[in-house]
Amino acid sequence: MSEPSADVSATVEYTMDKWRMDRLPWAMWACVAGLAIALHAESRAQSGAVLAAVYLALLGLAFAAYALTTLIGRSGLPLLLELLIGVLVLIVVSGLIGFISVLVGGPNGRSSYVGVMRGLYWSHLVNPSLNVFGWMLLYLGFGWILFSAYRHLYADRAVVSMSAAGIRFHRPWLKGLFIPWQEVRGVGHLVVPGISGVPFVSPYAAAVTVGRDFHERHIAPKRSFFAPPGAEAMFQPKGEMMQVVLNSADMTVKPEDFLGPAEARWKAFRDQPGSPSQHCGTIVYGRWSIDGSRWQAVRFLAPLVGMVVVLVYR
């Protein structure tokens, strides 16, 4: 997508849509593999669909506990308080896992439910049949397909947007961050210290430079406790300044597609007080579309063919 360089009043948005849609074929292959396993693997009279849902719930609970303990470890709390909170999290998670296990298997090894739950036993949670993992792949793959398709049709807010007023960030852990062009001191590739002490210019990251005082007053307070691991790499010092990285791995957008619009707007509006009122449309980067290439067609048609083969030779 080419941006008209003269139209700097247009808003430029950067989304995760292409990143999500590029992973949709892998989700389709997960559905193909899951369906093949669910249809052909031994079931041992187990309700694979129900057990798969239970396993995914337990895995989600375990991951949530891991994420919470990781955040606590990065919070800077005293070691004793951090240890007590970690033990409390372990007790709560263990209790929930035990409750779910007993709810499914029953305290005496038998299910307390009827219908689909009647065939479940405590031992099934410990030694499930292979078709359970097929159902898990189906759930995960189909869930990603639905989520990606929904977000493609009903787009969420752009991760980064640039207007005549400045740059806005819309990340869950960095809400409400706005950098006016008047506070930007430079636009270019990220500069990091090299091994030999000589600064290294990274060709893979686009960044804007702001004053250290602006960073301390307007950026640092907005950095949430729930920032994911590696989020600190978005902010890199550069002498007395601070660099804010614009692109990230979850946006399939080249650094040059950030630098061009950013530099054009910075030069046009850095000396203008306040935000200009005119607005001339929106330009979107990172939006997935059908490009008509053979590779794109193969990526999406191949798993559909695989699904038909699995259904025909079940």
Side-chain angles (χ1 to χ4, degrees):
M1 181 184 299
S2 60
E3 178 197 359
S5 58
D7 189 15
V8 293
S9 61
T11 298
V12 184
E13 296 183 345
Y14 301 86
T15 73
M16 294 177 57
D17 182 58
K18 189 174 187 303
W19 183 88
R20 287 190 290 255
M21 293 295 291
D22 282 346
R23 282 147 182 81
L24 195 144
W26 293 105
M28 296 171 67
W29 279 117
C31 289
V32 173
L35 183 63
I37 296 173
L39 290 177
H40 298 284
E42 178 188 11
S43 65
R44 296 206 298 266
Q46 295 179 358
S47 179
V50 177
L51 274 179
V54 174
Y55 268 99
L56 289 177
L58 294 177
L59 287 174
L61 188 60
F63 177 79
Y66 168 75
L68 181 59
T69 53
T70 302
L71 291 173
I72 293 172
R74 295 163 46 201
S75 64
L77 295 174
L79 179 60
L80 181 59
L81 181 58
E82 181 181 328
L83 180 62
L84 291 175
I85 296 177
V87 172
L88 179 61
V89 171
L90 178 62
I91 294 174
V92 172
V93 172
S94 300
L96 288 174
I97 291 177
F99 174 76
I100 294 175
S101 300
V102 171
L103 187 66
V104 173
N108 297 320
R110 286 193 165 283
S111 172
S112 56
Y113 290 94
V114 295
V116 294
M117 302 297 288
R118 183 176 296 170
L120 296 178
Y121 294 92
W122 169 267
S123 60
H124 293 174
L125 290 175
V126 180
N127 185 27
S129 58
L130 189 59
N131 77 326
V132 174
F133 298 102
W135 279 100
M136 291 176 66
L137 287 174
L138 278 170
Y139 287 150
L140 293 173
F142 193 62
W144 185 262
I145 291 172
L146 288 179
F147 173 70
S148 300
Y150 173 78
R151 278 307 185 193
H152 179 70
L153 296 175
Y154 303 96
D156 53 348
R157 298 182 68 179
V159 179
V160 179
S161 62
M162 302 180 192
S163 66
I167 307 174
R168 294 186 183 275
F169 295 84
H170 306 291
R171 294 190 175 277
W173 56 274
L174 194 65
K175 293 183 178 180
L177 176 59
F178 173 68
I179 303 177
W181 295 118
Q182 293 76 26
E183 297 293 340
V184 176
R185 300 292 178 262
V187 178
H189 288 282
L190 177 68
V191 179
V192 295
I195 299 177
S196 61
V198 179
F200 171 74
V201 179
S202 173
Y204 307 107
V208 295
T209 305
V210 299
R212 187 68 67 102
D213 182 63
F214 177 82
H215 173 267
E216 296 299 328
R217 289 186 292 109
H218 298 282
I219 297 180
K222 294 183 180 296
R223 296 172 63 175
S224 171
F225 171 77
F226 296 101
E232 60 276 1
M234 181 178 173
F235 307 97
Q236 298 288 335
K238 183 183 180 182
E240 297 300 322
M241 302 291 179
M242 184 67 76
Q243 300 172 101
V244 182
V245 178
L246 301 176
N247 61 310
S248 59
D250 56 6
M251 291 183 288
T252 312
V253 182
K254 298 178 181 179
E256 290 73 20
D257 292 331
F258 283 90
L259 293 177
E263 187 172 11
R265 282 155 183 76
W266 174 55
K267 291 180 177 179
F269 303 113
R270 60 184 173 182
D271 297 326
Q272 297 187 15
S275 57
S277 58
Q278 69 270 20
H279 183 271
C280 299
T282 301
I283 302 168
V284 181
Y285 286 93
R287 182 77 174 168
W288 183 86
S289 62
I290 300 176
D291 57 19
S293 66
R294 290 184 179 180
W295 172 241
Q296 187 183 68
V298 169
R299 291 185 66 207
F300 282 87
L301 291 178
L304 293 178
V305 173
M307 185 72 70
V308 173
V309 171
V310 169
L311 291 174
V312 169
Y313 293 98
R314 61 179 180 176

